[in-house]
């Protein structure tokens, strides 16, 4: 089945859930959706997908500052075989990308939009629609496996709303599903990570 939650192999108090351990020879992509870290605001989220099996293997979700999210992303990426990181560039995401790209982390496996010098993925209306199209088709074809309950719930609610805007219904979150959509890389879709 494309969606079917399972208990995580381990869960930390800070929001990390692991559904599968890194495997030698596998490439991983990490999708990162940033927030400001405000207690009543959106959550920051990192999703890890195994590029070979298309299985969601880890998630991190928390109200955290961009510097903390950059550190968590760096550690998760290193753990998952130097995974390919696609972090949203919009708004506070620029700070996360800047920290990952800088001398502090100097992480080498970061996504750069075509023709752009700095790391990050610009989430415009067209790019969001393309991500939604690819991932919803993959879910419908049962070509992916989501393990995390929150991600599954958000994916089921994600839709076209007022004015044609894609996202969660009013009062709901879409941070987990947005990060997962960034982490999902269809076969033949650019860099493979690792």
């Amino acid at each position: 089945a494309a969606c079917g939650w399972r208990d995580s192999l381990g869960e930390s108090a800070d929001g990390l859930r692991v559904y599968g351990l890194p495997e030698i020879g596998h490439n991983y992509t990490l999708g990162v959706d940033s927030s400001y870290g405000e207690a009543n605001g959106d959550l920051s989220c990192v999703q890890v997908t195994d590029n070979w099996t298309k299985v969601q293997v880890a998630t991190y979700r928390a109200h955290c500052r961009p510097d903390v999210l950059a550190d968590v992303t760096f550690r998760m990426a290193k753990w998952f075989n130097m995974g390919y990181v696609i972090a949203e560039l919009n708004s506070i995401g620029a700070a996360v990308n800047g920290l990952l790209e800088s001398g502090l982390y100097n992480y080498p496996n970061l996504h750069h939009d075509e023709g752009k010098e700095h790391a990050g993925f610009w989430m415009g209306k067209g790019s969001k629609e393309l991500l939604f199209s690819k991932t919803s088709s993959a879910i419908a074809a049962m070509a992916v496996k989501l393990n995390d309950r929150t991600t599954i719930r958000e994916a089921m609610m994600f839709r076209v709303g007022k004015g044609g805007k894609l996202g969660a219904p009013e009062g709901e979150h879409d941070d987990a599903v947005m990060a997962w959509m960034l982490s999902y890389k269809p076969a033949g879709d650019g860099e493979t990570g690792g």
Side-chain angles (χ1 to χ4, degrees), residues 15 21 26 46 64 67 94-95 101 104 136 139 141 154 159 170:
L21 298 174
H26 283 226
V46 180
C64 64
D67 60 319
E101 196 171 34
L104 179 62
S136 59
I139 289 171
E154 288 184 11
R159 60 186 164 82
E170 185 76 29

Side-chain angles (χ1 to χ4, degrees), residues 26-37:
H26 283 226
N27 295 325
Y28 298 88
T29 299
L30 289 79
V32 182
D33 186 63
S34 307
S35 74
Y36 287 92

Side-chain angles (χ1 to χ4, degrees), residues 49 55 63-64 67 78 105 112 120 150 152 164 166 186 193:
T49 298
V55 172
H63 290 105
C64 64
D67 60 319
K78 279 184 63 177
Y105 296 109
H112 290 74
T150 301
I152 294 167
L166 281 170

Side-chain angles (χ1 to χ4, degrees), residues 6 9 19-28 48 50-53 55 57 79-82 194:
R6 66 177 268 195
L9 299 174
Y19 300 97
L21 298 174
E23 294 188 40
I24 294 170
H26 283 226
N27 295 325
Y28 298 88
V48 184
D50 183 323
N51 292 346
W52 293 78
T53 63
V55 172
V57 293
W79 186 36
F80 281 95
N81 302 345
M82 296 299 289

Side-chain angles (χ1 to χ4, degrees), residues 34-109:
S34 307
S35 74
Y36 287 92
E38 297 165 350
N40 294 328
D42 287 338
L43 289 100
S44 293
C45 189
V46 180
Q47 297 273 1
V48 184
T49 298
D50 183 323
N51 292 346
W52 293 78
T53 63
K54 305 301 181 199
V55 172
Q56 176 191 41
V57 293
T59 67
Y60 170 81
R61 230 177 0 269
H63 290 105
C64 64
R65 298 182 322 266
D67 60 319
V68 173
L69 183 61
D71 187 65
V72 168
T73 301
F74 174 75
R75 291 170 188 270
M76 288 177 74
K78 279 184 63 177
W79 186 36
F80 281 95
N81 302 345
M82 296 299 289
Y84 183 65
V85 175
I86 304 176
E88 181 181 15
L89 185 56
N90 306 43
S91 187
I92 200 66
V96 174
N97 279 292
L99 288 166
L100 289 168
E101 196 171 34
S102 74
L104 179 62
Y105 296 109
N106 200 26
Y107 190 71
N109 208 5

